[in-house]
Amino acid sequence: MIYAILAWVSALVGLAAFAYRLPDLLRRRHDVALWALCTYFLCSGISFLVDLDLLRLHISAFFGLPNITSLITQSAVVVLTAAQQVVLVYWSSPPAEARRMARNRVLVFGGALAVLVVSSFYVGPVAHSETATSTILLSIQHGGYALYMSFYLLVCAVGQFETVRLSLRFTTMANRQWLKVGMRTVTVGASLILVYCVTRGIQIAGTRLDFDGSALDPIQWTAGCVGALLQIAGWTIPSWGIHITRARGWIRSYRSYQRLRPLWWALCQASPDIALDPPRSWLRDLVPPRDPHYRLYRRVIEIRDGQLLLRTSLSLEDFSRVARSLDLPEDPTSPLGEALQVRAVLSRPAEERAERADASEIPARPPYEDFRDEVEWLSQVASSFNRLGQGRTGAVGAGLLS
C-alpha cells in the first residue's frame, strides 16, 4: 500500500515537473541543458507511471508483450540517468568542454540502453505476477535475468555515483542560495538511489548464495521512490525557491509594518502632515497592502519625521525628570528612551507642544545605514512605546509637571 502511494506520487510529481518547465523549453529551444532537464522529468514520471499495478497489465496487453512495462521503466531510468549527466556537465563546465563531455556520456548510456533492450527480449522477465515488485523478485531467481538485472543496476549505480560527484562539485561553484539547496537535495536523492542499487544487488546475490533477500524489498523500493522524489525536488528548487524567499520577505515586511503601527498612529495624530496617506482605521490597516515593502519604508520615514518634530517640544531636563519619576534609565538614545520622549510629549496638551525647546539638548541616535537594522530598532521603540502606554500615561504626564 505504501509503495503504491509512493509510486503514484513519484509519477505525478515527475510529470508535473515536466509540465512546469515545458513553457520555458518552448521559449528556449536551443538550451541543451533545459532539454536534458525536461527529458529527465518526463522519463522519471514515465518510469513510475507505466509500472503502476493499476496500469501495467493493461499496457502489457496493449503491446501484446507480458511485462513490457519492466523494460519501459528500466529504459526510462537509463535515459533519465544520462539526462542528469548532461545537465550537470553543462552547468559546471565551459560550453566547448560541456558539449564533449555530454556527447561522451550520451554515447556510453546509449550503448548500455541498446544492450539492455536487446538482451531483455532474451532473458525476461521470465516470471509473471500481478505486481511489478513481485515479478522482479521471482525473475531474479533465474540466472539469465539475474545477470541482466546486475548489468542494469551497474549502469544505474555508475550514473548516480557520477551525479553525486558532479552535484557536490557544482554546489561549491553555485553562487545562489536556492541553487545550492537544490544541488544538495539532488545529491541526497542520488545517494538514496545508490542504496536502492545496493539492496537490489544483495537480493540478486541472495539467489546465488541461498539466502532470502526479500526482507530488503521495503528498503529498496522506499529508497528508490524517495530518492527519485528528492531529485525531482532538487532540480526544480532553483526555479521555485526564489518565490519562497519573496514570500518570506513579504511576510516579514507585513509583520514589521503592523508592529510599527501603534507608534506611527500616535505620531500621525500629533503631526498629521508627516503621513503621505492619511491613517486608515485599525481594521482597514490590517488588510495587507499591495506592496508591504514600500509601505514599510514609508512608515519608517514618517516615524522618523514625527520623532524629529516632537523632539523640539522636549528639553533634556524634561526627559530626565520623566525618566527619574518612572525609575527608568536616563538614556534618550535607547529604544526605551526614544519611546519615552514620544510619550512625554504626547502627554502634554496640544497647545503646549508648540513651545519649542532646544532640540540640540537631547542627543539623537544616527539612523542605521541598513534598512533592516532601522526597522528592527524602531520595532523595539514601538514595543517600548506600547508598554509605557499600558496604564502609565498619567505617570508620564505627572513626571513632566513635577
Side-chain angles (χ1 to χ4, degrees):
M1 179 64 180
I2 297 177
Y3 171 73
I5 294 174
L6 284 174
W8 271 105
V9 171
S10 300
L12 295 176
V13 168
L15 296 176
F18 171 73
Y20 176 71
R21 294 311 302 266
L22 186 58
D24 286 339
L25 182 62
L26 296 176
R27 290 191 297 268
R28 297 155 51 191
R29 297 182 182 181
H30 300 291
D31 190 333
V32 177
L34 185 56
W35 271 99
L37 188 59
C38 289
T39 300
Y40 168 81
F41 290 141
L42 181 61
C43 289
S44 182
I46 289 175
S47 67
F48 286 99
L49 184 67
V50 300
D51 236 7
L52 292 170
D53 294 334
L54 184 64
L55 301 176
R56 60 187 299 272
L57 295 180
H58 298 289
I59 295 173
S60 296
F62 175 79
F63 285 102
L65 296 171
N67 293 316
I68 187 63
T69 56
S70 296
L71 175 59
I72 297 174
T73 295
Q74 292 159 3
S75 299
V77 170
V78 174
V79 173
L80 70 86
T81 303
Q84 285 186 119
Q85 309 301 306
V86 174
V87 176
L88 286 168
V89 297
Y90 265 90
W91 282 6
S92 60
S93 303
E97 184 180 350
R99 282 192 294 271
R100 177 183 58 80
M101 295 171 66
R103 182 173 60 251
N104 292 340
R105 281 165 168 77
V106 169
L107 289 175
V108 169
F109 283 97
L113 177 60
V115 172
L116 284 172
V117 171
V118 172
S119 59
S120 69
F121 288 100
Y122 287 95
V123 299
V126 295
H128 308 301
S129 177
E130 291 296 321
T131 66
T133 53
S134 58
T135 295
I136 298 298
L137 284 175
L138 292 172
S139 295
I140 60 176
Q141 305 294 325
H142 300 264
Y145 193 75
L147 183 61
Y148 167 87
M149 277 297 296
S150 297
F151 178 69
Y152 165 71
L153 292 174
L154 178 63
V155 173
C156 292
V158 170
Q160 295 305 323
F161 178 81
E162 272 293 283
T163 298
V164 170
R165 185 182 71 84
L166 291 172
S167 296
L168 290 174
R169 175 187 172 189
F170 185 64
T171 300
T172 62
M173 301 168 55
N175 57 4
R176 289 187 294 159
Q177 174 195 1
W178 287 109
L179 192 54
K180 287 179 179 289
V181 172
M183 288 300 96
R184 292 192 184 105
T185 306
V186 168
T187 302
V188 175
S191 300
L192 285 176
I193 295 176
L194 282 173
V195 172
Y196 159 81
C197 294
V198 170
T199 52
R200 185 64 93 185
I202 293 173
Q203 290 179 328
I204 294 173
T207 63
R208 307 295 99 192
L209 301 175
D210 297 325
F211 71 84
D212 185 10
S214 60
L216 294 174
D217 216 40
I219 297 176
Q220 62 89 9
W221 56 251
T222 300
C225 289
V226 175
L229 285 171
L230 287 176
Q231 285 197 325
I232 293 171
W235 289 118
T236 57
I237 280 174
S239 60
W240 53 259
I242 187 64
H243 298 297
I244 295 179
T245 299
R246 290 171 181 166
R248 286 165 52 187
W250 191 97
I251 293 172
R252 185 166 53 246
S253 294
Y254 177 72
R255 289 179 59 190
S256 298
Y257 177 79
Q258 292 299 333
R259 286 169 64 187
L260 295 180
R261 190 182 198 284
L263 177 61
W264 174 80
W265 179 274
L267 291 170
C268 286
Q269 297 301 307
S271 307
D273 292 340
I274 65 173
L276 184 64
D277 298 315
R280 302 185 298 178
S281 67
W282 281 87
L283 186 60
R284 287 186 62 194
D285 203 54
L286 290 175
V287 177
R290 179 177 300 178
D291 186 355
H293 311 293
Y294 170 75
R295 291 285 187 174
L296 176 62
Y297 179 79
R298 285 298 318 165
R299 185 154 288 185
V300 167
I301 297 299
E302 290 164 3
I303 286 174
R304 275 306 184 199
D305 288 345
Q307 287 180 304
L308 288 174
L309 288 174
L310 291 187
R311 282 182 67 247
T312 61
S313 299
L314 189 72
S315 67
L316 181 60
E317 181 182 353
D318 289 338
F319 171 81
S320 298
R321 185 166 58 250
V322 172
R324 285 194 299 269
S325 69
L326 298 176
D327 197 22
L328 297 176
E330 298 179 36
D331 180 8
T333 61
S334 67
L336 178 59
E338 288 192 13
L340 185 57
Q341 292 177 52
V342 177
R343 280 291 178 192
V345 175
L346 294 182
S347 65
R348 285 177 166 178
E351 59 274 10
E352 293 184 17
R353 295 176 199 160
E355 298 176 5
R356 317 300 281 183
D358 185 0
S360 63
E361 288 185 355
I362 301 182
R365 175 194 61 82
Y368 287 102
E369 293 184 4
D370 190 302
F371 181 71
R372 288 173 295 184
D373 292 337
E374 185 74 17
V375 170
E376 180 59 31
W377 176 272
L378 288 180
S379 296
Q380 296 178 47
V381 175
S383 178
S384 299
F385 180 81
N386 285 339
R387 288 197 301 271
L388 288 171
Q390 293 173 357
R392 305 184 69 169
T393 305
V396 173
L400 278 170
L401 298 174
S402 62

